[in-house]
Structure formats: structure tokens, C-alpha cells
Amino acid sequence: MPVYHKLGKIPAKRHTQFEKPDGSGLYYEQLFGTIGFDGMASLMYHIHRPTQVMQILDSKDITPKIANAQQLMMRKLIGFNVEPKEDFLDSRVPLLVNKDCIIGLAAPQKSLREYFYKNADSDELLFIHKGSGTLRTQLGNIVFEYGDYLIIPRGMIYQIDFDTTDNRIFYVESHSPIYTPKRYRNYFGQLLEHSPYCERDYKLPSTLETHDEKGEFIIKIKKQNQLHSLVYQYHPFDVVGFDGYNYPWGFSIHNFEPITGRIHQPPPVHQTFQTDAFVVCSFCPRLFDYHPKAVPAPYNHSNIDSDEVIYYVDGDFMSRNDIAQGHITLHPGGIPHGPAPGAMERSIGKKEAHELAVMVDTFRPLQLTEEALQLDDGKYFHSWIE
Ligand SMILES: [Fe+2]
């Protein structure tokens, strides 16, 4: 998405005859785009037609089970209580849901090799909290590690390899595309000087895997909360080349350069991604505010129009007491929240923040799933009482 990129072999002119070197015919061109013909798109070239469905197997309903649809309670979910599971998709636990997105946690133990996966409804953001490996896609591979955001556009066929069994992922499935914030970009899309990251920081797909293989290849396709299984006649990674703007990419939270000031900077300085329905921010280690009378802890604030989700990754989260790795807090819109008792006083005179966290602010209220209630500590809303 973020920059023009190409891999492998492509013809000199789009939509023209692209002959296979062995004289057996032409490669098959596919436009891979979103938002009709108005959004990001790539052109890819297959050895075989990408339309060869052999069988349509059973579908599985994976609609998140909503337990609490309308709620006004601050929550703390103990994320590491999510049970690890072998399978990449089975391991996903949806926790917070609205019409625009699904926010969840996963602890997959095994690489995904038995089938391929495609989310036809949503762009996926996978934040790698624990583990490392390789995201393997139709349009190239991305080696990932702790701290990486992986952005996988809707419709991308992929598998994923993990180096070990100990993996923890915070994920968001977004029904609208995940972009870099508009205000960081100039008229042509280049990131501006005030952006907290630049194009050099991106992990672009490389190492295009091209398989010319006939057989029975299952692609599990998520659409409208159903997981459909389709059997294709050729290996889905049969692409010899592509170019364009629509492809998976990565970005390390450790490459986010924090913007600091004399007095407390508001959350938008931490913004990392935008969509039509939520923003994603990265809270990274940084120097604290340096006005002689600065109060580095945040002021109380009324996020009246959005629900605020914070996933705690590492370090000491200065505004809160009793927060550990893997916790998720939910501060629902409609009531103010702020630093825990003592946190404001504690922050005065401190020089550095060591926190690492990912925040998702949704513009529509979130609903809690049954699994979220099982992770909820049930008493967090009381944590401001002195
Ligand atoms: Fe907040």
C-alpha cells in the first residue's frame, strides 16, 4: 500500500500479451484492487488462471459471540490468559467488536502450511508481541519479529511460518482499508518531514515464491463471518511478478519516532495508521515533557465519541498501576478516564517514559464477546477510587 513496489517479471506495458518463456502461451493477468477501481491496486501475473475452483466444501460460522452489546464499564482483560492453540485461525479469539472491526488476540503454536487463508472482508493488522517468522503471500514474503505490525490487505492469499511455538499476536480486522495517516503525506503520497516514520522503515514483500504445481489446494476464505473452504486446482502462489500499491507490508513499532514537547502531547502525535472507523497509535519509549512545571502524565480526558483500547506490550506504563504485558484496557466513550491515583504525582520530574503499547480508538462503540468477559478482571473500573 504505502509506495509503488514491484517484484519478479512483468510485461513492459500493462494489459498486453505476456508470453511464457517456454512458448506454452500467455501469463494470466489479475487486477488486485479495493474500493472498486478507486483504491489501491496491483497487477499480478499468474502461470495459471486464478479462477480454477474444483470444489466448494463446507462453511463454518465464525461470527463473534457477543455477550455484552451495550455497555459503559471500564475493563481490563488479561490477554495472556488466552490459551495457545496449534492452528493459526483456531487460535484467534475475537474480544471487542463493532460494525467496523474485530479486535482480538491469538497465540498460534504452529506454522500455517496445511491450507491457505484469505480474509475477503477485512484488511488485517497483526501486531507481533511474541515470536518471529515469515509471512508468506501471493505477492512475496515478509520476515517478521517482535514489535512488527503486519498489514495484510483484504483478499490477499497467505500462509504464515513461525520460528517457535511461543507466539502472541494482537490483531485487528478492519472492514475499511488500513492506511498511513493522511496528514503525514503530501499531495502525491510521500511521507512528510514531520511524519514519525518514513518509507525507509517499511518492510516490503520480497522473495516471491512461484510454485507451478497442480493438485488440490484448499483456500479458507473469510466472508461475512463465514469461513468457506474452496479447493483450487493450482498452487495459489503461482505469481511470476506484480507491481502496484496493493500488497502486504510491515512496519516495526521500534521504528516509530516519538514526537515530544515541553508540555504533554496529545494522542494524535502517536498515530500510526488510520481507517474510516478507527485509528491506531503507538506509545513508544520517549523523553518526557521538559517544561519546568510539566506534568508528564496525561490529563483526564473525555473520549466522548470513541472507545479507547490499549494493548500493553512492554515497559512501565506510567499512567496506570497494576498493568502487565498482554493486558488490554477498554475505556468506553461517554465517560472520562485518566491516570490512576498517584500516577500524576509520580510522573513529575521523571525524564523518560519506558512504555510500549498499541492503542486502537474506534469511532463506534465496541461490544464485548463471551471470551472477553472470561478475560475481564471485573474490578478495573474501581481503580480510580482513592
Ligand atoms: Fe485515554
Side-chain angles (χ1 to χ4, degrees):
M1 188 282 290
V3 291
Y4 173 79
H5 186 47
K6 63 180 172 183
L7 276 179
K9 297 183 295 181
I10 54 174
K13 185 88 178 161
R14 63 182 173 173
H15 317 323
T16 58
Q17 297 168 25
F18 183 23
E19 291 185 357
K20 294 176 181 170
D22 62 3
S24 64
L26 302 180
Y27 288 113
Y28 299 91
E29 186 180 52
Q30 180 190 355
L31 178 73
F32 174 62
T34 60
I35 322 289
F37 288 84
D38 229 24
M40 297 295 181
S42 290
L43 280 170
M44 66 175 101
Y45 296 86
H46 296 272
I47 298 171
H48 303 283
R49 281 189 306 277
T51 46
Q52 300 186 54
V53 178
M54 295 171 75
Q55 289 181 71
I56 297 176
L57 307 176
D58 291 346
S59 300
K60 183 179 164 191
D61 183 18
I62 51 170
T63 307
K65 297 185 187 75
I66 303 302
N68 202 329
Q70 290 148 309
Q71 71 111 35
L72 191 62
M73 179 170 165
M74 292 93 132
R75 307 274 185 170
K76 183 168 80 174
L77 313 181
I78 314 302
F80 280 3
N81 285 352
V82 164
E83 290 288 335
K85 284 202 177 147
E86 285 195 346
D87 179 74
F88 177 65
L89 291 185
D90 285 349
S91 75
R92 290 191 181 196
V93 180
L95 299 173
L96 303 165
V97 178
N98 65 18
K99 276 162 66 177
D100 307 307
C101 64
I102 297 173
I103 300 171
L105 293 170
Q109 294 173 306
K110 267 182 63 184
S111 297
L112 171 54
R113 284 277 179 165
E114 294 80 34
Y115 58 88
F116 298 83
Y117 172 55
K118 165 159 88 173
N119 191 331
D121 283 333
S122 300
D123 282 25
E124 294 190 349
L125 177 156
L126 309 181
F127 176 78
I128 308 298
H129 190 174
K130 278 191 176 187
S132 59
T134 304
L135 177 71
R136 300 172 54 243
T137 83
Q138 248 184 335
L139 299 185
N141 296 346
I142 301 171
V143 175
F144 64 83
E145 60 189 345
Y146 162 58
D148 282 349
Y149 291 103
L150 297 172
I151 307 293
I152 306 167
R154 73 205 53 215
M156 184 79 275
I157 299 171
Y158 73 90
Q159 295 185 322
I160 192 163
D161 280 355
F162 296 106
D163 296 331
T164 72
T165 55
D166 187 17
N167 305 292
R168 292 271 171 191
I169 296 172
F170 171 74
Y171 71 86
V172 187
E173 296 180 27
S174 170
H175 303 327
S176 60
I178 299 172
Y179 294 143
T180 55
K182 177 86 181 71
R183 63 198 162 84
Y184 293 167
R185 289 182 264 124
N186 69 14
Y187 180 79
F188 292 98
Q190 183 178 12
L191 289 168
L192 293 162
E193 280 294 308
H194 72 269
S195 168
Y197 53 87
C198 85
E199 286 84 355
R200 289 186 204 178
D201 298 322
Y202 295 148
K203 294 189 172 189
L204 302 180
S206 61
T207 329
L208 190 64
E209 283 187 36
T210 307
H211 298 261
D212 183 1
E213 207 180 316
K214 194 173 182 181
E216 296 185 357
F217 300 90
I218 295 174
I219 306 182
K220 293 193 180 183
I221 301 171
K222 182 173 182 187
K223 189 169 172 66
Q224 295 178 299
N225 282 324
Q226 302 293 307
L227 197 61
H228 304 281
S229 292
L230 273 63
V231 183
Y232 278 78
Q233 191 170 17
Y234 287 98
H235 196 297
F237 297 173
D238 73 337
V239 174
V240 296
F242 84 93
D243 78 336
Y245 284 76
N246 196 30
Y247 52 81
W249 58 289
F251 170 69
S252 171
I253 196 170
H254 305 302
N255 276 326
F256 187 92
E257 297 302 330
I259 294 166
T260 59
R262 287 228 310 162
I263 55 172
H264 188 78
Q265 298 295 296
V269 301
H270 305 283
Q271 193 180 350
T272 313
F273 305 108
Q274 77 172 32
T275 73
D276 289 346
F278 63 88
V279 298
V280 178
C281 297
S282 303
F283 289 92
C284 296
R286 61 192 182 276
L287 294 180
F288 263 147
D289 320 327
Y290 47 88
H291 186 284
K293 293 272 190 188
V295 179
Y299 31 77
N300 297 291
H301 48 284
S302 306
N303 45 322
I304 198 80
D305 293 322
S306 63
D307 277 18
E308 178 196 277
V309 177
I310 300 182
Y311 180 68
Y312 300 88
V313 181
D314 201 5
D316 174 25
F317 211 77
M318 53 94 178
S319 64
R320 304 244 58 86
N321 307 328
D322 196 22
I323 283 287
Q325 285 191 1
H327 287 182
I328 291 177
T329 55
L330 170 65
H331 301 134
I335 47 176
H337 63 275
M344 179 184 72
E345 295 80 0
R346 213 163 53 223
S347 75
I348 290 172
K350 287 269 171 59
K351 299 291 180 216
E352 293 173 50
H354 299 288
E355 65 200 20
L356 192 66
V358 176
M359 182 171 83
V360 181
D361 272 12
T362 65
F363 307 149
R364 259 196 268 256
L366 289 161
Q367 302 177 326
L368 274 84
T369 63
E370 291 174 3
E371 294 92 335
L373 288 190
Q374 285 168 17
L375 302 177
D376 183 21
D377 87 334
K379 57 187 184 191
Y380 175 68
F381 72 97
H382 260 156
S383 66
W384 287 267
I385 300 285
E386 298 189 52

